[in-house]
Amino acid sequence: MPQALDRTALERVIAVINGKGGVLKTTLTANIGGMLANNGYRVLLVDLDPQGNLAEDLGYTDDDRDDTGRALAQALMFGGGAAPIKEVRPNLDVFAGGPALDQATAGLSAKANKDPDGAKLAVAHLLAPIAGDYDMILIDCPPGDETLQTAAVAAARWALVPVKSDKSSRKGLGAVAARLDAVLGVNPTLDLLGVVLVDVGTSAHVVQREAREHIAELFNADHKVVFTATVRHSEATAQATRERGLLVHELDAQVRKGPKWFEILRGDAQAQAFAPRTASSVADDLQAITQEVVARITAAEKQEALA
């Protein structure tokens, strides 16, 4: 008899998903979560990616807290609870990912032969008992792992889809739509929170407009399906954040506290190593995305309350 699932506490679970890699899924997960936590939200991040890149963004790679996904994999395969890493930042807990999650993929794939719904709901059963402790839960989905992607969206109330504006990147959206449709039988309340254009040029207005039109057509929706805010391209900021294990707003604060150019010029201070000036702009973009996430969820909850 399958274990009953109470979805009451899962109303603010967001799966950050796209079948393609390199579209800033982990960047969005880490930075939206970090900004929410910094503003008093209790946040849980779930790293479902065997690459475990969330550890780099949050700065716990290879320290005692990083079990490379073993605890999470065991819980998904065999049930029972698992404890997230507490207080990676104030108000921010994390289920660590990593190579051990390949075992979870194999285990859930085998389970799907006998209990397909149970395999799909593995993440949901893990999160349901603890979700009430948090104001928001974000799941960083792996790009190419259908089993873990399916389990993530089966647990989520919302799907957040980052995509680049080029045609090749947009092709992956069809697979995302199919993945969402595939779990509606076990998760009928799943809905698309929106699509976020990432890695965009700030002056590419025509490209952005065309991308918004194509995305809206694909999801059979109006242009509101695409977030108003976008995330600009900045390789220097991306590299600097992972080098230091800092979120973008944390890097921006560090850069702002650094010495002024004239202090360096006259020899009164030393230049910061690897301090990109674009950090402030990217931090603003990510803050705008975070605000839009909250606004969209709040509006949906108010509408549901009135229904």
Side-chain angles (χ1 to χ4, degrees):
M1 178 71 92
Q3 180 184 351
L5 176 66
D6 181 2
R7 287 194 173 272
T8 306
L10 300 177
E11 288 299 302
R12 286 190 168 187
V13 177
I14 304 170
V16 185
I17 183 171
N18 190 316
K20 289 182 67 68
V23 293
L24 308 192
K25 288 187 301 295
T26 301
T27 297
L28 286 180
T29 303
N31 285 276
I32 291 172
M35 285 187 171
L36 289 171
N38 194 47
N39 282 278
Y41 284 72
R42 297 167 302 164
V43 180
L44 174 65
L45 304 183
V46 183
D47 187 356
L48 272 188
D49 194 337
Q51 295 181 68
N53 288 335
L54 200 60
E56 294 181 11
D57 283 23
L58 292 167
Y60 61 85
T61 303
D62 297 327
D63 71 17
D64 292 340
R65 298 172 293 177
D66 186 8
D67 72 347
T68 67
R70 285 192 297 274
L72 182 54
Q74 291 291 314
L76 295 177
M77 286 188 292
F78 305 115
I85 305 169
K86 297 290 187 178
E87 297 288 300
V88 173
R89 299 288 193 279
N91 298 316
L92 182 66
D93 299 345
V94 181
F95 274 119
L101 287 170
D102 286 332
Q103 300 171 16
T105 299
L108 291 179
S109 296
K111 182 176 182 177
N113 293 324
K114 295 181 178 179
D115 181 13
D117 286 355
K120 289 179 182 178
L121 291 171
V123 174
H125 281 301
L126 170 68
L127 294 180
I130 63 172
D133 296 335
Y134 299 97
D135 300 309
M136 203 79 75
I137 298 176
L138 291 97
I139 305 173
D140 185 19
C141 298
D145 191 318
E146 180 179 345
T147 299
L148 291 180
Q149 282 184 14
T150 298
V153 293
R157 172 65 179 85
W158 301 105
L160 181 67
V161 185
V163 65
K164 294 183 180 179
S165 58
D166 62 277
K167 184 176 181 180
S168 174
S169 295
R170 296 198 306 270
K171 283 183 179 178
L173 293 180
V176 173
R179 191 80 70 245
L180 303 186
D181 288 342
V183 300
L184 290 178
V186 295
N187 185 10
T189 62
L190 175 67
D191 204 352
L192 179 65
L193 185 61
V195 178
V196 178
L197 286 172
V198 301
D199 214 12
V200 300
T202 54
S203 60
H205 302 301
V206 174
V207 173
Q208 282 194 44
R209 184 174 68 250
E210 291 178 350
R212 289 175 185 275
E213 290 171 355
H214 286 301
I215 292 166
E217 182 179 346
L218 176 65
F219 285 101
N220 195 25
D222 59 30
H223 288 194
K224 292 179 182 177
V225 72
V226 185
F227 273 48
T228 302
T230 61
V231 183
R232 73 195 70 197
H233 174 79
S234 176
E235 188 63 34
T237 295
Q239 186 175 350
T241 52
R242 288 201 167 168
E243 284 284 339
R244 300 186 189 189
L246 295 174
L247 299 173
V248 176
H249 71 272
E250 295 168 341
L251 177 65
D252 179 38
Q254 193 175 92
V255 171
R256 289 174 186 270
K257 289 178 182 176
K260 309 299 182 189
W261 65 269
F262 55 83
E263 294 174 329
I264 298 169
L265 189 62
R266 69 189 182 204
D268 293 337
Q270 288 187 332
Q272 291 187 31
F274 212 31
R277 290 176 294 176
T278 52
S280 179
S281 299
V282 178
D284 288 345
D285 291 348
L286 290 164
Q287 181 177 347
I289 294 292
T290 303
Q291 290 171 337
E292 198 163 346
V293 165
V294 172
R296 286 181 176 229
I297 290 177
T298 301
E301 290 174 346
K302 286 181 179 178
Q303 183 125 11
E304 288 173 7
L306 293 172

